[in-house]
Amino acid sequence: MRITEKKRSDEERALNRRKQVLDAAAICFKRSGFHGASMAEISKAAGMSTGHIYNYFDNKDAIIIAFVEQNLERVAAILSDLVQREDPLQTMLDNAEKHIGDNLDPGLWVLQLEIFSEAARNPAVAGVLRAADAHLRGELRGIVRRGREQRQLAADDATLDGRIETMIAMYQGMSLRALHNPALDVASVLSSFRLALEPLLLS
């Protein structure tokens, strides 16, 4: 095997191992919480030794930071698609139901709430979370500014900041509503969410 092929194979194996650990950690964190889940529990769920896990993650903080980075990549892909759209604001409205559906999925929000909880008391996790938020917020700001300028709508800093913070709060808040009221009428919420989002984007 050529050196470059071996290197590529080693990198792919390492990525697969990291994913294996993260998949196991997600199960454990959702079941036991960040502090309740031990490295031994994660190693058992991952099917590898604790020592092997430390080849890929220094500690549990590093694992939860990896989840923050995963979410950064997920949202960055959504924003990258918006950048390519001729009318990004209309696309945001058209896709609102899908993205709200994602935020109502316990597979996503249970882990996200665990990350937020840890960030509230762990400066290392908080720093990574805030840096990711600042980056994504900046990308979204540029997209919304372009869309509003195309429509000859107000796009000054105060307007953009207020609208964007409100929209982000609406999306993130859906996870809390799903926790507080698991019996909520999803169809009604999706319809109402779009009604609230439209004037924020288009007025």
Side-chain angles (χ1 to χ4, degrees):
M1 181 183 293
R2 296 177 182 177
I3 294 177
T4 54
E5 291 176 346
K6 183 179 185 305
K7 182 179 179 181
R8 189 179 304 115
S9 177
D10 289 345
E11 290 174 348
E12 184 175 340
R13 186 179 300 110
L15 287 173
N16 288 337
R17 288 293 193 179
R18 281 177 59 87
K19 183 179 184 304
Q20 186 177 342
V21 173
L22 291 175
D23 288 346
I27 293 170
C28 295
F29 290 164
K30 291 172 186 175
R31 179 175 60 220
S32 306
F34 180 67
H35 289 282
S38 66
M39 290 298 280
E41 181 183 354
I42 294 170
S43 69
K44 182 178 180 180
M48 65 177 72
S49 69
T50 302
H52 198 178
I53 289 178
Y54 284 121
N55 290 328
Y56 305 102
F57 299 97
D58 290 339
N59 47 43
K60 282 198 294 182
D61 278 7
I63 293 176
I64 205 164
I65 286 170
F67 284 123
V68 174
E69 292 169 345
Q70 272 190 348
N71 190 60
L72 173 64
E73 292 173 2
R74 180 184 70 85
V75 179
I78 295 171
L79 297 180
S80 178
D81 176 71
L82 284 174
V83 168
Q84 309 302 319
R85 301 297 179 134
E86 182 176 344
D87 189 344
L89 303 187
Q90 186 60 49
T91 300
M92 289 176 68
L93 281 174
D94 293 342
N95 293 344
E97 292 185 3
K98 176 187 181 305
H99 297 315
I100 284 301
D102 290 342
N103 282 325
L104 291 172
D105 178 4
L108 175 67
W109 66 255
V110 171
L111 185 57
Q112 288 282 42
L113 293 182
E114 192 65 36
I115 292 171
F116 294 162
S117 177
E118 183 60 20
R121 55 180 171 255
N122 185 325
V125 174
V128 173
L129 188 68
R130 289 167 184 165
D133 179 85
H135 173 75
L136 294 173
R137 188 162 21 91
E139 294 293 315
L140 178 60
R141 196 173 191 275
I143 292 168
V144 174
R145 181 190 293 277
R146 175 171 67 87
R148 290 182 64 82
E149 288 176 345
Q150 286 175 344
R151 292 171 175 265
Q152 297 184 330
L153 298 170
D156 57 279
D157 290 346
T159 297
L160 290 173
D161 290 344
R163 303 290 175 99
I164 288 168
E165 290 292 350
T166 300
M167 288 188 290
I168 292 173
M170 287 169 57
Y171 278 103
Q172 291 182 337
M174 294 312 304
S175 300
L176 290 175
R177 293 311 309 150
L179 172 63
H180 292 178
N181 181 18
L184 61 81
D185 182 341
V186 174
S188 176
V189 167
L190 293 176
S191 175
S192 298
F193 189 97
R194 184 181 172 111
L195 286 176
L197 181 62
E198 186 167 0
L200 287 171
L201 288 172
L202 304 182
S203 68

